[in-house]
Amino acid sequence: PGDEEWASAKARKTQRAAFEHVRGELLEGAAVSEALGKAGETRVLGSQRTGDWRTKVAEMASRRSYLQVRYADAVYIVGWRLERGRDQFTGRNEVDPRETPVMDVGGSMGLACQLYVDRFADGGEDPAQCQLFFFDDAGPPWSR
């Protein structure tokens, strides 16, 4: 389901123009799948690469996040930073500190950040044009 399916009846009625319908062929297509695969390869390191790590990435990732950041001039993220030595999926489990990804924003927002910065890596777009702004909301909700 998408945003419209999860929205309240009032939101569907009063904010109909704000909903964007994206075809499943686009969301499940090669461009989105390849971007998620690259982001996962960058973020999921060492012992976190269990047999089901790609499934975990797929479950935590919003394919719509790719569409939101692919052509954005700037991205503003509210999220939490991974504590060094904690897994990148939940931030709860201990892992080797070397497995903390360089883009150390946790959870699905971390994956969205990775999708954005990947545009500027490896001969992609001009890194000087990368405009990623992060507001740290003091850690994952369960740590407060």
mmCIF file with all atom_site columns, all heavy atoms in Angstrom, residues 7 13 15 18-20 41 44 46 48-49 59 62 71-72 75 79 81-82 85-86 100 114 126 135 138:
data_model
loop_
_atom_site.group_PDB
_atom_site.id
_atom_site.type_symbol
_atom_site.label_atom_id
_atom_site.label_alt_id
_atom_site.label_comp_id
_atom_site.label_asym_id
_atom_site.label_entity_id
_atom_site.label_seq_id
_atom_site.pdbx_PDB_ins_code
_atom_site.Cartn_x
_atom_site.Cartn_y
_atom_site.Cartn_z
_atom_site.occupancy
_atom_site.B_iso_or_equiv
_atom_site.pdbx_formal_charge
_atom_site.auth_seq_id
_atom_site.auth_comp_id
_atom_site.auth_asym_id
_atom_site.auth_atom_id
_atom_site.pdbx_PDB_model_num
ATOM 1   N N   . ALA A 1 7   ? -3.631  6.778   4.477   1.00 0.00 ? 7   ALA A N   1
ATOM 2   C CA  . ALA A 1 7   ? -4.110  8.086   4.927   1.00 0.00 ? 7   ALA A CA  1
ATOM 3   C C   . ALA A 1 7   ? -5.526  7.973   5.504   1.00 0.00 ? 7   ALA A C   1
ATOM 4   O O   . ALA A 1 7   ? -6.300  7.095   5.130   1.00 0.00 ? 7   ALA A O   1
ATOM 5   C CB  . ALA A 1 7   ? -4.115  9.067   3.754   1.00 0.00 ? 7   ALA A CB  1
ATOM 6   N N   . LYS A 1 13  ? -9.721  13.125  1.537   1.00 0.00 ? 13  LYS A N   1
ATOM 7   C CA  . LYS A 1 13  ? -10.712 14.064  1.019   1.00 0.00 ? 13  LYS A CA  1
ATOM 8   C C   . LYS A 1 13  ? -10.127 15.464  0.819   1.00 0.00 ? 13  LYS A C   1
ATOM 9   O O   . LYS A 1 13  ? -10.326 16.097  -0.209  1.00 0.00 ? 13  LYS A O   1
ATOM 10  C CB  . LYS A 1 13  ? -11.906 14.138  1.970   1.00 0.00 ? 13  LYS A CB  1
ATOM 11  C CG  . LYS A 1 13  ? -13.005 15.063  1.491   1.00 0.00 ? 13  LYS A CG  1
ATOM 12  C CD  . LYS A 1 13  ? -14.175 15.055  2.447   1.00 0.00 ? 13  LYS A CD  1
ATOM 13  C CE  . LYS A 1 13  ? -15.243 16.025  1.977   1.00 0.00 ? 13  LYS A CE  1
ATOM 14  N NZ  . LYS A 1 13  ? -16.347 16.112  2.908   1.00 0.00 ? 13  LYS A NZ  1
ATOM 15  N N   . GLN A 1 15  ? -6.790  16.458  0.968   1.00 0.00 ? 15  GLN A N   1
ATOM 16  C CA  . GLN A 1 15  ? -5.432  16.592  0.442   1.00 0.00 ? 15  GLN A CA  1
ATOM 17  C C   . GLN A 1 15  ? -5.202  15.742  -0.808  1.00 0.00 ? 15  GLN A C   1
ATOM 18  O O   . GLN A 1 15  ? -4.072  15.399  -1.131  1.00 0.00 ? 15  GLN A O   1
ATOM 19  C CB  . GLN A 1 15  ? -4.419  16.222  1.531   1.00 0.00 ? 15  GLN A CB  1
ATOM 20  C CG  . GLN A 1 15  ? -4.528  17.078  2.755   1.00 0.00 ? 15  GLN A CG  1
ATOM 21  C CD  . GLN A 1 15  ? -3.610  16.605  3.869   1.00 0.00 ? 15  GLN A CD  1
ATOM 22  O OE1 . GLN A 1 15  ? -2.693  15.819  3.662   1.00 0.00 ? 15  GLN A OE1 1
ATOM 23  N NE2 . GLN A 1 15  ? -3.863  17.068  5.067   1.00 0.00 ? 15  GLN A NE2 1
ATOM 24  N N   . ALA A 1 18  ? -2.300  16.236  -3.101  1.00 0.00 ? 18  ALA A N   1
ATOM 25  C CA  . ALA A 1 18  ? -0.949  16.011  -2.592  1.00 0.00 ? 18  ALA A CA  1
ATOM 26  C C   . ALA A 1 18  ? -0.466  14.575  -2.808  1.00 0.00 ? 18  ALA A C   1
ATOM 27  O O   . ALA A 1 18  ? 0.713   14.295  -2.654  1.00 0.00 ? 18  ALA A O   1
ATOM 28  C CB  . ALA A 1 18  ? -0.890  16.351  -1.102  1.00 0.00 ? 18  ALA A CB  1
ATOM 29  N N   . PHE A 1 19  ? -1.364  13.674  -3.154  1.00 0.00 ? 19  PHE A N   1
ATOM 30  C CA  . PHE A 1 19  ? -0.979  12.279  -3.355  1.00 0.00 ? 19  PHE A CA  1
ATOM 31  C C   . PHE A 1 19  ? -0.462  12.075  -4.772  1.00 0.00 ? 19  PHE A C   1
ATOM 32  O O   . PHE A 1 19  ? -1.068  12.525  -5.745  1.00 0.00 ? 19  PHE A O   1
ATOM 33  C CB  . PHE A 1 19  ? -2.166  11.341  -3.095  1.00 0.00 ? 19  PHE A CB  1
ATOM 34  C CG  . PHE A 1 19  ? -2.610  11.313  -1.662  1.00 0.00 ? 19  PHE A CG  1
ATOM 35  C CD1 . PHE A 1 19  ? -3.808  11.888  -1.293  1.00 0.00 ? 19  PHE A CD1 1
ATOM 36  C CD2 . PHE A 1 19  ? -1.814  10.725  -0.692  1.00 0.00 ? 19  PHE A CD2 1
ATOM 37  C CE1 . PHE A 1 19  ? -4.223  11.879  0.035   1.00 0.00 ? 19  PHE A CE1 1
ATOM 38  C CE2 . PHE A 1 19  ? -2.223  10.717  0.629   1.00 0.00 ? 19  PHE A CE2 1
ATOM 39  C CZ  . PHE A 1 19  ? -3.418  11.288  0.999   1.00 0.00 ? 19  PHE A CZ  1
ATOM 40  N N   . GLU A 1 20  ? 0.660   11.403  -4.873  1.00 0.00 ? 20  GLU A N   1
ATOM 41  C CA  . GLU A 1 20  ? 1.253   11.113  -6.180  1.00 0.00 ? 20  GLU A CA  1
ATOM 42  C C   . GLU A 1 20  ? 1.150   9.614   -6.410  1.00 0.00 ? 20  GLU A C   1
ATOM 43  O O   . GLU A 1 20  ? 1.634   8.816   -5.602  1.00 0.00 ? 20  GLU A O   1
ATOM 44  C CB  . GLU A 1 20  ? 2.723   11.546  -6.195  1.00 0.00 ? 20  GLU A CB  1
ATOM 45  C CG  . GLU A 1 20  ? 3.404   11.359  -7.503  1.00 0.00 ? 20  GLU A CG  1
ATOM 46  C CD  . GLU A 1 20  ? 2.834   12.252  -8.587  1.00 0.00 ? 20  GLU A CD  1
ATOM 47  O OE1 . GLU A 1 20  ? 2.461   13.406  -8.299  1.00 0.00 ? 20  GLU A OE1 1
ATOM 48  O OE2 . GLU A 1 20  ? 2.766   11.789  -9.731  1.00 0.00 ? 20  GLU A OE2 1
ATOM 49  N N   . GLU A 1 41  ? 24.818  -2.534  -0.463  1.00 0.00 ? 41  GLU A N   1
ATOM 50  C CA  . GLU A 1 41  ? 26.220  -2.992  -0.523  1.00 0.00 ? 41  GLU A CA  1
ATOM 51  C C   . GLU A 1 41  ? 27.132  -2.052  0.263   1.00 0.00 ? 41  GLU A C   1
ATOM 52  O O   . GLU A 1 41  ? 28.087  -2.480  0.893   1.00 0.00 ? 41  GLU A O   1
ATOM 53  C CB  . GLU A 1 41  ? 26.698  -3.059  -1.982  1.00 0.00 ? 41  GLU A CB  1
ATOM 54  C CG  . GLU A 1 41  ? 26.046  -4.139  -2.805  1.00 0.00 ? 41  GLU A CG  1
ATOM 55  C CD  . GLU A 1 41  ? 26.654  -5.505  -2.591  1.00 0.00 ? 41  GLU A CD  1
ATOM 56  O OE1 . GLU A 1 41  ? 27.780  -5.606  -2.086  1.00 0.00 ? 41  GLU A OE1 1
ATOM 57  O OE2 . GLU A 1 41  ? 25.973  -6.484  -2.948  1.00 0.00 ? 41  GLU A OE2 1
ATOM 58  N N   . VAL A 1 44  ? 25.645  -2.342  4.439   1.00 0.00 ? 44  VAL A N   1
ATOM 59  C CA  . VAL A 1 44  ? 25.601  -3.609  5.171   1.00 0.00 ? 44  VAL A CA  1
ATOM 60  C C   . VAL A 1 44  ? 26.972  -4.260  5.075   1.00 0.00 ? 44  VAL A C   1
ATOM 61  O O   . VAL A 1 44  ? 27.377  -4.722  4.005   1.00 0.00 ? 44  VAL A O   1
ATOM 62  C CB  . VAL A 1 44  ? 24.496  -4.528  4.625   1.00 0.00 ? 44  VAL A CB  1
ATOM 63  C CG1 . VAL A 1 44  ? 24.419  -5.804  5.448   1.00 0.00 ? 44  VAL A CG1 1
ATOM 64  C CG2 . VAL A 1 44  ? 23.152  -3.806  4.645   1.00 0.00 ? 44  VAL A CG2 1
ATOM 65  N N   . GLY A 1 46  ? 30.342  -6.667  6.775   1.00 0.00 ? 46  GLY A N   1
ATOM 66  C CA  . GLY A 1 46  ? 30.822  -7.745  7.639   1.00 0.00 ? 46  GLY A CA  1
ATOM 67  C C   . GLY A 1 46  ? 29.762  -8.718  8.106   1.00 0.00 ? 46  GLY A C   1
ATOM 68  O O   . GLY A 1 46  ? 29.028  -9.296  7.306   1.00 0.00 ? 46  GLY A O   1
ATOM 69  N N   . GLN A 1 48  ? 26.995  -8.375  9.338   1.00 0.00 ? 48  GLN A N   1
ATOM 70  C CA  . GLN A 1 48  ? 25.603  -8.028  9.058   1.00 0.00 ? 48  GLN A CA  1
ATOM 71  C C   . GLN A 1 48  ? 25.140  -8.593  7.715   1.00 0.00 ? 48  GLN A C   1
ATOM 72  O O   . GLN A 1 48  ? 23.957  -8.585  7.411   1.00 0.00 ? 48  GLN A O   1
ATOM 73  C CB  . GLN A 1 48  ? 25.436  -6.508  9.068   1.00 0.00 ? 48  GLN A CB  1
ATOM 74  C CG  . GLN A 1 48  ? 25.710  -5.920  10.452  1.00 0.00 ? 48  GLN A CG  1
ATOM 75  C CD  . GLN A 1 48  ? 25.659  -4.424  10.423  1.00 0.00 ? 48  GLN A CD  1
ATOM 76  O OE1 . GLN A 1 48  ? 24.590  -3.846  10.364  1.00 0.00 ? 48  GLN A OE1 1
ATOM 77  N NE2 . GLN A 1 48  ? 26.835  -3.799  10.442  1.00 0.00 ? 48  GLN A NE2 1
ATOM 78  N N   . ARG A 1 49  ? 26.069  -9.112  6.931   1.00 0.00 ? 49  ARG A N   1
ATOM 79  C CA  . ARG A 1 49  ? 25.732  -9.715  5.636   1.00 0.00 ? 49  ARG A CA  1
ATOM 80  C C   . ARG A 1 49  ? 25.350  -11.171 5.833   1.00 0.00 ? 49  ARG A C   1
ATOM 81  O O   . ARG A 1 49  ? 26.001  -12.088 5.352   1.00 0.00 ? 49  ARG A O   1
ATOM 82  C CB  . ARG A 1 49  ? 26.899  -9.597  4.676   1.00 0.00 ? 49  ARG A CB  1
ATOM 83  C CG  . ARG A 1 49  ? 27.098  -8.197  4.216   1.00 0.00 ? 49  ARG A CG  1
ATOM 84  C CD  . ARG A 1 49  ? 27.524  -8.157  2.804   1.00 0.00 ? 49  ARG A CD  1
ATOM 85  N NE  . ARG A 1 49  ? 27.642  -6.767  2.401   1.00 0.00 ? 49  ARG A NE  1
ATOM 86  C CZ  . ARG A 1 49  ? 28.315  -6.366  1.377   1.00 0.00 ? 49  ARG A CZ  1
ATOM 87  N NH1 . ARG A 1 49  ? 28.946  -7.241  0.629   1.00 0.00 ? 49  ARG A NH1 1
ATOM 88  N NH2 . ARG A 1 49  ? 28.368  -5.100  1.084   1.00 0.00 ? 49  ARG A NH2 1
ATOM 89  N N   . GLU A 1 59  ? 12.986  -4.635  3.262   1.00 0.00 ? 59  GLU A N   1
ATOM 90  C CA  . GLU A 1 59  ? 11.903  -4.393  4.218   1.00 0.00 ? 59  GLU A CA  1
ATOM 91  C C   . GLU A 1 59  ? 12.002  -3.024  4.866   1.00 0.00 ? 59  GLU A C   1
ATOM 92  O O   . GLU A 1 59  ? 10.997  -2.411  5.200   1.00 0.00 ? 59  GLU A O   1
ATOM 93  C CB  . GLU A 1 59  ? 11.904  -5.483  5.294   1.00 0.00 ? 59  GLU A CB  1
ATOM 94  C CG  . GLU A 1 59  ? 11.428  -6.824  4.765   1.00 0.00 ? 59  GLU A CG  1
ATOM 95  C CD  . GLU A 1 59  ? 11.610  -7.948  5.759   1.00 0.00 ? 59  GLU A CD  1
ATOM 96  O OE1 . GLU A 1 59  ? 12.236  -7.743  6.830   1.00 0.00 ? 59  GLU A OE1 1
ATOM 97  O OE2 . GLU A 1 59  ? 11.134  -9.062  5.469   1.00 0.00 ? 59  GLU A OE2 1
ATOM 98  N N   . SER A 1 62  ? 12.054  2.284   1.757   1.00 0.00 ? 62  SER A N   1
ATOM 99  C CA  . SER A 1 62  ? 10.910  2.716   0.982   1.00 0.00 ? 62  SER A CA  1
ATOM 100 C C   . SER A 1 62  ? 11.418  2.966   -0.426  1.00 0.00 ? 62  SER A C   1
ATOM 101 O O   . SER A 1 62  ? 12.276  3.823   -0.637  1.00 0.00 ? 62  SER A O   1
ATOM 102 C CB  . SER A 1 62  ? 10.318  4.002   1.554   1.00 0.00 ? 62  SER A CB  1
ATOM 103 O OG  . SER A 1 62  ? 9.392   4.540   0.650   1.00 0.00 ? 62  SER A OG  1
ATOM 104 N N   . TYR A 1 71  ? 16.280  13.248  -7.890  1.00 0.00 ? 71  TYR A N   1
ATOM 105 C CA  . TYR A 1 71  ? 16.517  14.516  -8.575  1.00 0.00 ? 71  TYR A CA  1
ATOM 106 C C   . TYR A 1 71  ? 16.380  15.714  -7.651  1.00 0.00 ? 71  TYR A C   1
ATOM 107 O O   . TYR A 1 71  ? 16.289  16.844  -8.128  1.00 0.00 ? 71  TYR A O   1
ATOM 108 C CB  . TYR A 1 71  ? 15.569  14.657  -9.782  1.00 0.00 ? 71  TYR A CB  1
ATOM 109 C CG  . TYR A 1 71  ? 15.882  13.656  -10.871 1.00 0.00 ? 71  TYR A CG  1
ATOM 110 C CD1 . TYR A 1 71  ? 15.043  12.574  -11.105 1.00 0.00 ? 71  TYR A CD1 1
ATOM 111 C CD2 . TYR A 1 71  ? 17.033  13.772  -11.639 1.00 0.00 ? 71  TYR A CD2 1
ATOM 112 C CE1 . TYR A 1 71  ? 15.338  11.645  -12.082 1.00 0.00 ? 71  TYR A CE1 1
ATOM 113 C CE2 . TYR A 1 71  ? 17.337  12.844  -12.617 1.00 0.00 ? 71  TYR A CE2 1
ATOM 114 C CZ  . TYR A 1 71  ? 16.489  11.783  -12.841 1.00 0.00 ? 71  TYR A CZ  1
ATOM 115 O OH  . TYR A 1 71  ? 16.794  10.860  -13.808 1.00 0.00 ? 71  TYR A OH  1
ATOM 116 N N   . ALA A 1 72  ? 16.384  15.477  -6.361  1.00 0.00 ? 72  ALA A N   1
ATOM 117 C CA  . ALA A 1 72  ? 16.238  16.581  -5.405  1.00 0.00 ? 72  ALA A CA  1
ATOM 118 C C   . ALA A 1 72  ? 17.475  17.471  -5.438  1.00 0.00 ? 72  ALA A C   1
ATOM 119 O O   . ALA A 1 72  ? 18.607  16.984  -5.517  1.00 0.00 ? 72  ALA A O   1
ATOM 120 C CB  . ALA A 1 72  ? 16.032  16.038  -4.001  1.00 0.00 ? 72  ALA A CB  1
ATOM 121 N N   . VAL A 1 75  ? 18.348  17.655  0.226   1.00 0.00 ? 75  VAL A N   1
ATOM 122 C CA  . VAL A 1 75  ? 17.594  16.702  1.044   1.00 0.00 ? 75  VAL A CA  1
ATOM 123 C C   . VAL A 1 75  ? 17.765  17.086  2.500   1.00 0.00 ? 75  VAL A C   1
ATOM 124 O O   . VAL A 1 75  ? 18.877  17.333  2.970   1.00 0.00 ? 75  VAL A O   1
ATOM 125 C CB  . VAL A 1 75  ? 18.075  15.256  0.790   1.00 0.00 ? 75  VAL A CB  1
ATOM 126 C CG1 . VAL A 1 75  ? 17.441  14.280  1.779   1.00 0.00 ? 75  VAL A CG1 1
ATOM 127 C CG2 . VAL A 1 75  ? 17.776  14.832  -0.640  1.00 0.00 ? 75  VAL A CG2 1
ATOM 128 N N   . GLY A 1 79  ? 16.523  12.327  11.717  1.00 0.00 ? 79  GLY A N   1
ATOM 129 C CA  . GLY A 1 79  ? 16.777  10.935  12.055  1.00 0.00 ? 79  GLY A CA  1
ATOM 130 C C   . GLY A 1 79  ? 17.720  10.826  13.224  1.00 0.00 ? 79  GLY A C   1
ATOM 131 O O   . GLY A 1 79  ? 17.900  11.765  13.994  1.00 0.00 ? 79  GLY A O   1
ATOM 132 N N   . ARG A 1 81  ? 21.631  9.095   14.623  1.00 0.00 ? 81  ARG A N   1
ATOM 133 C CA  . ARG A 1 81  ? 22.955  8.595   14.235  1.00 0.00 ? 81  ARG A CA  1
ATOM 134 C C   . ARG A 1 81  ? 23.171  7.224   14.848  1.00 0.00 ? 81  ARG A C   1
ATOM 135 O O   . ARG A 1 81  ? 22.801  6.968   15.992  1.00 0.00 ? 81  ARG A O   1
ATOM 136 C CB  . ARG A 1 81  ? 24.059  9.525   14.743  1.00 0.00 ? 81  ARG A CB  1
ATOM 137 C CG  . ARG A 1 81  ? 23.896  10.966  14.395  1.00 0.00 ? 81  ARG A CG  1
ATOM 138 C CD  . ARG A 1 81  ? 24.530  11.486  13.151  1.00 0.00 ? 81  ARG A CD  1
ATOM 139 N NE  . ARG A 1 81  ? 25.840  11.092  12.773  1.00 0.00 ? 81  ARG A NE  1
ATOM 140 C CZ  . ARG A 1 81  ? 26.936  11.841  12.907  1.00 0.00 ? 81  ARG A CZ  1
ATOM 141 N NH1 . ARG A 1 81  ? 26.874  13.020  13.489  1.00 0.00 ? 81  ARG A NH1 1
ATOM 142 N NH2 . ARG A 1 81  ? 28.083  11.416  12.453  1.00 0.00 ? 81  ARG A NH2 1
ATOM 143 N N   . LEU A 1 82  ? 23.777  6.361   14.085  1.00 0.00 ? 82  LEU A N   1
ATOM 144 C CA  . LEU A 1 82  ? 24.139  5.047   14.598  1.00 0.00 ? 82  LEU A CA  1
ATOM 145 C C   . LEU A 1 82  ? 25.270  5.182   15.597  1.00 0.00 ? 82  LEU A C   1
ATOM 146 O O   . LEU A 1 82  ? 26.243  5.904   15.355  1.00 0.00 ? 82  LEU A O   1
ATOM 147 C CB  . LEU A 1 82  ? 24.634  4.156   13.461  1.00 0.00 ? 82  LEU A CB  1
ATOM 148 C CG  . LEU A 1 82  ? 23.595  3.501   12.586  1.00 0.00 ? 82  LEU A CG  1
ATOM 149 C CD1 . LEU A 1 82  ? 24.267  2.852   11.386  1.00 0.00 ? 82  LEU A CD1 1
ATOM 150 C CD2 . LEU A 1 82  ? 22.816  2.485   13.369  1.00 0.00 ? 82  LEU A CD2 1
ATOM 151 N N   . GLY A 1 85  ? 29.589  0.628   16.310  1.00 0.00 ? 85  GLY A N   1
ATOM 152 C CA  . GLY A 1 85  ? 29.561  -0.726  16.834  1.00 0.00 ? 85  GLY A CA  1
ATOM 153 C C   . GLY A 1 85  ? 28.152  -1.274  17.036  1.00 0.00 ? 85  GLY A C   1
ATOM 154 O O   . GLY A 1 85  ? 27.969  -2.281  17.697  1.00 0.00 ? 85  GLY A O   1
ATOM 155 N N   . ARG A 1 86  ? 27.146  -0.623  16.436  1.00 0.00 ? 86  ARG A N   1
ATOM 156 C CA  . ARG A 1 86  ? 25.766  -1.108  16.484  1.00 0.00 ? 86  ARG A CA  1
ATOM 157 C C   . ARG A 1 86  ? 25.301  -1.403  15.059  1.00 0.00 ? 86  ARG A C   1
ATOM 158 O O   . ARG A 1 86  ? 25.728  -0.756  14.108  1.00 0.00 ? 86  ARG A O   1
ATOM 159 C CB  . ARG A 1 86  ? 24.824  -0.077  17.120  1.00 0.00 ? 86  ARG A CB  1
ATOM 160 C CG  . ARG A 1 86  ? 25.117  0.204   18.554  1.00 0.00 ? 86  ARG A CG  1
ATOM 161 C CD  . ARG A 1 86  ? 24.767  -0.983  19.387  1.00 0.00 ? 86  ARG A CD  1
ATOM 162 N NE  . ARG A 1 86  ? 25.119  -0.752  20.786  1.00 0.00 ? 86  ARG A NE  1
ATOM 163 C CZ  . ARG A 1 86  ? 24.790  -1.567  21.757  1.00 0.00 ? 86  ARG A CZ  1
ATOM 164 N NH1 . ARG A 1 86  ? 24.110  -2.664  21.494  1.00 0.00 ? 86  ARG A NH1 1
ATOM 165 N NH2 . ARG A 1 86  ? 25.148  -1.318  22.986  1.00 0.00 ? 86  ARG A NH2 1
ATOM 166 N N   . THR A 1 100 ? 30.226  -0.157  11.147  1.00 0.00 ? 100 THR A N   1
ATOM 167 C CA  . THR A 1 100 ? 29.359  1.019   11.145  1.00 0.00 ? 100 THR A CA  1
ATOM 168 C C   . THR A 1 100 ? 29.576  1.732   9.816   1.00 0.00 ? 100 THR A C   1
ATOM 169 O O   . THR A 1 100 ? 30.710  2.082   9.479   1.00 0.00 ? 100 THR A O   1
ATOM 170 C CB  . THR A 1 100 ? 29.700  1.959   12.316  1.00 0.00 ? 100 THR A CB  1
ATOM 171 O OG1 . THR A 1 100 ? 29.591  1.236   13.536  1.00 0.00 ? 100 THR A OG1 1
ATOM 172 C CG2 . THR A 1 100 ? 28.761  3.163   12.348  1.00 0.00 ? 100 THR A CG2 1
ATOM 173 N N   . GLN A 1 114 ? 21.808  7.463   2.022   1.00 0.00 ? 114 GLN A N   1
ATOM 174 C CA  . GLN A 1 114 ? 22.744  6.729   1.178   1.00 0.00 ? 114 GLN A CA  1
ATOM 175 C C   . GLN A 1 114 ? 22.323  6.803   -0.287  1.00 0.00 ? 114 GLN A C   1
ATOM 176 O O   . GLN A 1 114 ? 23.157  7.013   -1.165  1.00 0.00 ? 114 GLN A O   1
ATOM 177 C CB  . GLN A 1 114 ? 22.841  5.273   1.624   1.00 0.00 ? 114 GLN A CB  1
ATOM 178 C CG  . GLN A 1 114 ? 23.974  4.525   0.976   1.00 0.00 ? 114 GLN A CG  1
ATOM 179 C CD  . GLN A 1 114 ? 25.313  5.031   1.446   1.00 0.00 ? 114 GLN A CD  1
ATOM 180 O OE1 . GLN A 1 114 ? 25.590  5.083   2.632   1.00 0.00 ? 114 GLN A OE1 1
ATOM 181 N NE2 . GLN A 1 114 ? 26.172  5.408   0.509   1.00 0.00 ? 114 GLN A NE2 1
ATOM 182 N N   . ASP A 1 126 ? 28.442  16.054  -9.698  1.00 0.00 ? 126 ASP A N   1
ATOM 183 C CA  . ASP A 1 126 ? 29.459  16.879  -9.045  1.00 0.00 ? 126 ASP A CA  1
ATOM 184 C C   . ASP A 1 126 ? 29.236  16.877  -7.525  1.00 0.00 ? 126 ASP A C   1
ATOM 185 O O   . ASP A 1 126 ? 28.204  17.354  -7.053  1.00 0.00 ? 126 ASP A O   1
ATOM 186 C CB  . ASP A 1 126 ? 29.369  18.307  -9.577  1.00 0.00 ? 126 ASP A CB  1
ATOM 187 C CG  . ASP A 1 126 ? 30.378  19.255  -8.953  1.00 0.00 ? 126 ASP A CG  1
ATOM 188 O OD1 . ASP A 1 126 ? 31.196  18.823  -8.107  1.00 0.00 ? 126 ASP A OD1 1
ATOM 189 O OD2 . ASP A 1 126 ? 30.336  20.440  -9.314  1.00 0.00 ? 126 ASP A OD2 1
ATOM 190 N N   . PHE A 1 135 ? 19.151  16.679  10.724  1.00 0.00 ? 135 PHE A N   1
ATOM 191 C CA  . PHE A 1 135 ? 18.784  17.076  12.082  1.00 0.00 ? 135 PHE A CA  1
ATOM 192 C C   . PHE A 1 135 ? 18.762  15.813  12.912  1.00 0.00 ? 135 PHE A C   1
ATOM 193 O O   . PHE A 1 135 ? 17.982  14.899  12.665  1.00 0.00 ? 135 PHE A O   1
ATOM 194 C CB  . PHE A 1 135 ? 17.412  17.753  12.117  1.00 0.00 ? 135 PHE A CB  1
ATOM 195 C CG  . PHE A 1 135 ? 16.977  18.082  13.520  1.00 0.00 ? 135 PHE A CG  1
ATOM 196 C CD1 . PHE A 1 135 ? 17.474  19.202  14.162  1.00 0.00 ? 135 PHE A CD1 1
ATOM 197 C CD2 . PHE A 1 135 ? 16.097  17.253  14.198  1.00 0.00 ? 135 PHE A CD2 1
ATOM 198 C CE1 . PHE A 1 135 ? 17.096  19.504  15.463  1.00 0.00 ? 135 PHE A CE1 1
ATOM 199 C CE2 . PHE A 1 135 ? 15.711  17.537  15.494  1.00 0.00 ? 135 PHE A CE2 1
ATOM 200 C CZ  . PHE A 1 135 ? 16.213  18.665  16.121  1.00 0.00 ? 135 PHE A CZ  1
ATOM 201 N N   . ALA A 1 138 ? 18.363  12.762  18.385  1.00 0.00 ? 138 ALA A N   1
ATOM 202 C CA  . ALA A 1 138 ? 18.888  12.204  19.659  1.00 0.00 ? 138 ALA A CA  1
ATOM 203 C C   . ALA A 1 138 ? 18.732  10.707  19.816  1.00 0.00 ? 138 ALA A C   1
ATOM 204 O O   . ALA A 1 138 ? 18.646  10.205  20.917  1.00 0.00 ? 138 ALA A O   1
ATOM 205 C CB  . ALA A 1 138 ? 18.269  12.932  20.847  1.00 0.00 ? 138 ALA A CB  1
#
